[in-house]
């Protein structure tokens, strides 16, 4: 992960998610796989809430810990907020149909992607969150595709 920056409050984590959504919208990127990595409590779901808000979602964003996949519709874009924490074996992800999801107009935000082993397609972007104290977190971004790089070079990310 290249460089971490400090997030001083949950609101700052939400703002970081919103900024990523804004960058994608400016560039008209509507297909992306985003991995959210970091320990329990690092702020992954909080970031996802900001990201969804950035796409115009104003309702609740429940953690997908139990449902595993929470879909959101935004006209031309579908966002799948996925949390694989509860998988105990990568094979359990086969029934979820994750490999069929990616495509034009589909954005995937995946918490605990490592739990699916190599059954998930690789990410365009990885967002790493770390606990840096009770009331702060650190965030870093890594791009793994040309589209991911384009999004990251957009101002404010
Ligand atoms: P995860 O999904 O990684 O398990 P959550 O997004 O559920 O983590 O966040 C866990 C807790 O951390 C929540 O109470 C959230 O408000 C808090 N939190 C998120 N970002 C920050 C931050 N930058 N500073 C302090 N607390 C944060
Ligand atoms: Mg979570």
């Amino acid at each position: 992960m290249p460089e971490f920056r400090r997030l001083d409050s949950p609101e700052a984590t939400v703002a970081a998610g919103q900024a990523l959504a804004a960058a994608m919208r400016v560039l008209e990127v509507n297909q992306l796989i985003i991995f959210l990595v970091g320990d329990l409590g690092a702020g992954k779901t909080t970031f996802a809430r900001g990201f969804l808000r950035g796409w115009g979602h104003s309702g609740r964003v429940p953690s997908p810990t139990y449902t595993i996949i929470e879909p959101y519709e935004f006209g031309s874009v579908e966002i799948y907020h996925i949390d694989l924490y509860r998988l105990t074996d990568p094979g359990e992800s086969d029934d979820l149909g994750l490999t069929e999801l990616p495509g034009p107009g589909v954005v995937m935000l995946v918490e605990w992607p490592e739990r699916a082993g190599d059954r998930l397609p690789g990410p365009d972007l990885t967002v790493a969150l770390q606990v840096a104290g009770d009331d702060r977190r650190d965030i870093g971004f890594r791009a793994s595709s040309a589209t991911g790089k384009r999004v990251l070079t957009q101002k404010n990310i």
Side-chain angles (χ1 to χ4, degrees), residues 6 43 50 69 90:
R6 183 57 45 92
I69 303 181

Side-chain angles (χ1 to χ4, degrees), residues 5-7 9-23 36 43 46-52 54 127-129 138-141 152 156-157:
R5 88 180 156 81
R6 183 57 45 92
L7 299 170
S9 65
E11 292 71 33
T13 308
V14 169
Q18 281 182 298
L20 177 58
L36 297 175
T46 308
F47 182 92
R49 291 193 172 111
F51 184 80
L52 286 158
V127 181
L129 285 146
D138 288 332
I139 190 168
F141 295 89
L152 282 197
N156 293 332
I157 301 279

Side-chain angles (χ1 to χ4, degrees), residues 20 23 47 68 79-81 85 98 115-116 133 137 152 154:
L20 177 58
F47 182 92
I68 301 188
I79 299 181
Y80 292 93
H81 181 198
Y85 182 70
L98 295 177
R115 303 258 159 140
R137 305 289 186 263
L152 282 197
Q154 180 67 22

Side-chain angles (χ1 to χ4, degrees), residues 40-41 43-46 63-65 81 83 111-112:
L40 263 188
K44 301 179 295 297
T45 300
T46 308
S63 173
T65 312
H81 181 198
D83 184 347
E111 300 185 38
W112 297 99

